[in-house]
Amino acid sequence: MTERIDVLHVDDDPSVLDLTEAYLDRELASASVTSVTEPAAGLDRLEVDSFDCVVSDYDMPDMDGLAFFEALREDHPHVPFVLYTGKGSEEIASRALNAGVTGYFQKGGPEQLQRLANRVEQAVEEHRTREIADRYSTVIDALGYPVYVVDETGTFTFVNEPFTDLTGYDREEIVGSTPDLIKDETAVLEAEDRLGSILSSDGPDIQRFRVEIDPKDGDPIPCRDHMAVLPYEGEEFEGSVGILRDVSVEAARQEELETKRRALEEAPVGITITDPSLADNPMVYVNDEFVEMTGYDREEAVGINCRFLQGPDTDEVAVAELREAIDAEEPASVELLNYRRDGTPFWNRVSVAPIRERDDDRVTGWVGFQEDITAFKEREEALRRQNERLDEFAGIVSHDLRNPLNVARGRVDLAREETGNDHLTAAADALDRIESIVEHTLTLAREGETVGDPEPVDLAELVDDSWGTVDTDGATLEVDLDGRVLADPDRLRNLFENLFRNAIEHGSVDGDDVTIRVGDLEDGFYVADDGPGVPEAIRDDLFEPGESGADGNTGFGLAIVKEIVTAHGWEIAAVEPEAGGARFEVRGSDRPVRPLVE
């Protein structure tokens, strides 16, 4: 040992102090001895200076060596302490060793002094080694990572507490065992290959690799192993040391990111991500659907702004709306006429939304969803033309057909008054029926138009209003409704009126007045009555124009109801209630009907 050793020697005999100091200086070249004649003075020196070892006599005035040792231990519990006394006995030796002194020697000639010097040197070296080990142990514990040491035979010689926590094995179960306790054969062989790479002259000093640890209980734990060899001289390899890191969370996050990446790539709409921190807010990512939809490959699209898809007929108003939303850092959706790489136009529904930092809400990017709606726009245009033709047809029916119909009915009425012919009465009834069919046909055409701007409607209030416009003929209404629905109030009123008339016309049995009930469903409402119900034979065709179970009825009422329901995006069905009668249930479909909290 060449590092300096500071020794404090306490003895009430100055001659012993001088002799011991001279001998230690000769035998231990690195020793520096401080001598004091009183234990109290020794304690004072320990408060001021740091010593690697304390040597003390036993029999001293005021305080013996063991009392001095106990006092010293209060503030310096780990300093090596050797009792070197001329008054020795088995009792004192036993007391000293039981108290925890580092060594016990009786005073004597050169032989005892040599033993004392050897013990001081050995005690200091052990103490310093222990201090280093404790220091590294503190660092290892502070890291909180599982640490292991495997010797040259492949046997665990050390594991720390985090390692036992990770594996579920006690330290006694691990130390002395081989790595196959916690690894499968493949993992063991990989670790051996990695160790061989470190030991080779061309290999790195540290190997980092993934490994699955098989705990005592539970599923395998994905970890990352950081392996290195223990320091050694020559060819005497002494083993390896490793630090494990549980990467379960990291693996799960990586799997989540991979799932999201695949979702982006395989999404049925074009997806782009732009970076506003770069000049001109270029696209930094496009998915496969964007490439397929536009004809531009990634190398052409990434790095430029997506307005390169615009052309001479692109709606500048929609572009301005999109730009305004981006400047306000708000999401937006517009429909633009864009152009593919080959110049062909297509309608693009572009929806953008800001990507914000979780901490400061700062916009760090924009995600865009681009959907080819060309087919939808073509269908929309075809439907518009169809509606125009339908309006023209309705005008013809309303004007050109009704005028001659009115003339015919007038002529029949005059002829009936002049002749009193009963055949003319039947003809007048037929003309009235034709007019009723015309009116219902026009109504059916109008009610089929999609509801574009619904508003909250109080169901109970609207049902009462509808009931007041119907010839109830002694029927009774029971209402159990709460809240509002999004609907066109005029067309919804027409729906209830037709259902009420249907119930009254078909519901009376043997002169008994029908009771009609209107109530809530979880996703809609129902209208029911206690009449004879709907015959099963006509239930499937009940909503077709012309289907009716009542004489003289046009059969358009329920067809109009079906058109109103469909225009709202709802569904209607005739069901057979347990208590009998008829029951019509209206439920939400694409736009659910639900009570709205006021």
Side-chain angles (χ1 to χ4, degrees), residues 248-304:
S248 300
V249 175
E250 179 182 326
R253 185 180 296 114
Q254 187 65 32
E255 183 177 352
E256 179 184 0
L257 289 174
E258 176 62 19
T259 300
K260 291 180 178 179
R261 185 195 66 79
R262 291 180 57 192
L264 289 175
E265 286 299 326
E266 299 176 12
V269 297
I271 298 178
T272 62
I273 297 177
T274 61
D275 187 350
S277 67
L278 301 176
D280 204 31
N281 193 22
M283 292 185 291
V284 295
Y285 168 83
V286 298
N287 71 341
D288 289 344
E289 182 63 23
F290 179 88
V291 171
E292 180 71 21
M293 180 173 63
T294 65
Y296 291 93
D297 58 31
R298 281 184 170 81
E299 289 73 18
E300 294 174 299
V302 171
I304 59 177

Side-chain angles (χ1 to χ4, degrees), residues 309-506:
L309 296 174
Q310 298 172 17
D313 294 327
T314 301
D315 186 357
E316 292 298 330
V317 175
V319 173
E321 179 183 344
L322 190 63
R323 171 50 57 189
E324 183 179 348
I326 292 175
D327 291 341
E329 297 185 347
E330 296 177 350
S333 181
V334 298
E335 295 178 357
L336 297 174
L337 185 64
N338 283 165
Y339 294 83
R340 297 185 177 89
R341 192 177 189 277
D342 61 7
T344 58
F346 71 100
W347 279 99
N348 190 0
R349 180 181 289 124
V350 180
S351 301
V352 298
I355 303 173
R356 299 183 183 275
E357 282 286 346
R358 293 182 179 180
D359 296 334
D360 57 10
D361 205 37
R362 179 171 51 89
V363 174
T364 58
W366 285 85
V367 59
F369 300 93
Q370 310 202 24
E371 182 181 5
D372 186 345
I373 59 170
T374 305
F376 169 78
K377 297 291 285 187
E378 290 174 349
R379 288 194 301 270
E380 187 178 56
E381 178 60 22
L383 183 60
R384 184 189 64 79
R385 292 194 298 269
Q386 180 180 340
N387 286 336
E388 288 179 353
R389 289 194 298 269
L390 185 60
D391 288 341
E392 293 174 0
F393 171 74
I396 293 173
V397 171
S398 176
H399 183 269
D400 296 352
L401 184 60
R402 180 173 287 159
N403 282 343
L405 183 62
N406 290 335
V407 171
R409 187 170 57 184
R411 292 293 185 179
V412 168
D413 288 343
L414 289 174
R416 186 175 55 180
E417 292 175 0
E418 292 175 356
T419 65
N421 191 322
D422 291 338
H423 293 294
L424 294 175
T425 301
D429 291 341
L431 291 172
D432 287 342
R433 182 169 177 78
I434 292 174
E435 184 176 11
S436 178
I437 292 173
V438 170
E439 287 293 336
H440 283 97
T441 301
L442 292 174
T443 301
L444 192 62
R446 297 188 190 101
E447 298 300 350
E449 296 178 0
T450 302
V451 175
D453 191 19
E455 62 184 77
V457 177
D458 187 308
L459 269 179
E461 182 179 327
L462 185 135
V463 166
D464 287 339
D465 290 345
S466 302
W467 184 256
T469 64
V470 177
D471 184 2
T472 58
D473 196 24
T476 303
L477 177 67
E478 296 177 358
V479 180
D480 183 18
L481 294 168
D482 183 26
R484 299 179 294 172
V485 294
L486 287 174
D488 181 322
D490 293 332
R491 297 166 79 177
L492 189 57
R493 184 179 292 105
N494 196 0
L495 178 147
F496 282 113
E497 290 171 354
N498 277 282
L499 287 176
F500 292 158
R501 292 192 189 98
N502 183 77
I504 293 170
E505 291 171 359
H506 297 82

Side-chain angles (χ1 to χ4, degrees), residues 7 15 68 73 78 87 112 114 161 222 288 338 370 470 492 517 531 537 586:
V7 180
S15 61
F68 174 50
R73 274 291 181 263
H78 303 299
K87 185 179 180 180
Q112 287 298 93
Q114 181 64 52
E161 185 174 346
D288 289 344
N338 283 165
Q370 310 202 24
V470 177
L492 189 57
R517 300 180 305 279
V586 177

